[in-house]
Amino acid sequence: MIKRKIPKRPDWDEFFMMHTYLAATRSSCFHLNTGATIVKDKRIIAMGYNGAPSGIKNSFEYGWCRKEKFGIDFDKKETGTCRGRHAEENAMSQPSRQDMESAILYVVYYPCSSCAKSIVGNNLSKVFYSKLYKEKDSLAEEIFREKGIEVVKLEIDLTNFSKFISNLK
């Protein structure tokens, strides 16, 4: 019998975070690309990215950002100007609440307080994030803590992602 070298492969959390980064490549925002993946029992039940909801044009189709057009700073939130939805919102709009019960959410950026409310309302059990957008949203932290949702930082080395892909036969 030939003893074979076992190739390195990502663990489950790395695997799902890689899918999250892949979802982010579909983003239709000129300023920030992010993605979200909802997983239950090691199965992806939904993915989303930041951009306009289906059925309406996104910023890329127009060729401009509405915030820029109206002179609103990108970092100014809740202005009602942006056509896009957050990746978490787009992902959570797909499965039913029952399907999301105790599911895990993987996101590129730490969720804002608005998304944290939806995460709690949909009874997700855990959140993995890879990066902070400037700083943690203190209200989001409070909401997660109150509900008992575990939030874990999972930094992923994207060069390893390339290595995993290049090792495919």
Side-chain angles (χ1 to χ4, degrees):
M1 175 161 43
I2 299 172
K3 185 147 179 139
R4 296 182 181 248
K5 181 181 175 192
I6 298 171
K8 177 160 174 28
R9 60 186 193 158
D11 68 29
W12 284 110
D13 293 325
E14 290 171 325
F15 177 76
F16 294 126
M17 188 59 83
M18 287 178 190
H19 276 78
T20 303
Y21 273 90
L22 191 57
T25 66
R26 292 288 307 151
S27 168
S28 57
C29 177
F30 286 106
H31 298 280
L32 186 74
N33 304 111
T34 188
T37 304
I38 301 173
V39 175
K40 188 166 185 177
D41 300 324
K42 293 186 180 164
R43 302 288 181 266
I44 295 172
I45 61 171
M47 294 176 77
Y49 53 87
N50 59 320
S54 59
I56 65 170
K57 288 182 180 181
N58 63 51
S59 296
F60 290 175
E61 291 172 295
Y62 279 109
W64 42 260
C65 169
R66 281 181 54 85
K67 282 188 171 184
E68 289 172 359
K69 182 179 178 181
F70 294 111
I72 299 169
D73 180 45
F74 172 75
D75 291 325
K76 187 167 181 147
K77 305 299 178 194
E78 307 300 323
T79 62
T81 310
C82 182
R83 298 182 71 79
R85 295 172 68 191
H86 292 186
E88 300 93 323
E89 294 174 309
N90 278 328
M92 287 186 287
S93 70
Q94 297 169 44
S96 70
R97 274 188 88 227
Q98 288 106 342
D99 288 341
M100 287 188 280
E101 181 91 32
S102 300
I104 298 171
L105 176 69
Y106 295 81
V107 290
V108 174
Y109 289 95
Y110 190 91
C112 70
S113 58
S114 179
C115 288
K117 293 172 196 174
S118 294
I119 291 164
V120 165
N122 283 303
N123 289 314
L124 280 86
S125 63
K126 192 173 192 177
V127 175
F128 284 94
Y129 73 97
S130 188
K131 302 176 181 182
L132 289 176
Y133 176 72
K134 297 193 177 185
E135 60 189 48
K136 282 185 186 174
D137 182 317
S138 62
L139 178 56
E141 279 186 293
E142 181 182 320
I143 289 168
F144 289 141
R145 192 171 40 255
E146 184 176 331
K147 178 70 175 188
I149 293 177
E150 184 180 1
V151 180
V152 178
K153 182 166 184 156
L154 176 62
E155 293 187 55
I156 187 163
D157 182 353
L158 294 176
T159 58
N160 280 340
F161 181 69
S162 298
K163 287 177 190 172
F164 292 132
I165 300 297
S166 66
N167 286 333
L168 294 175
K169 296 181 180 174

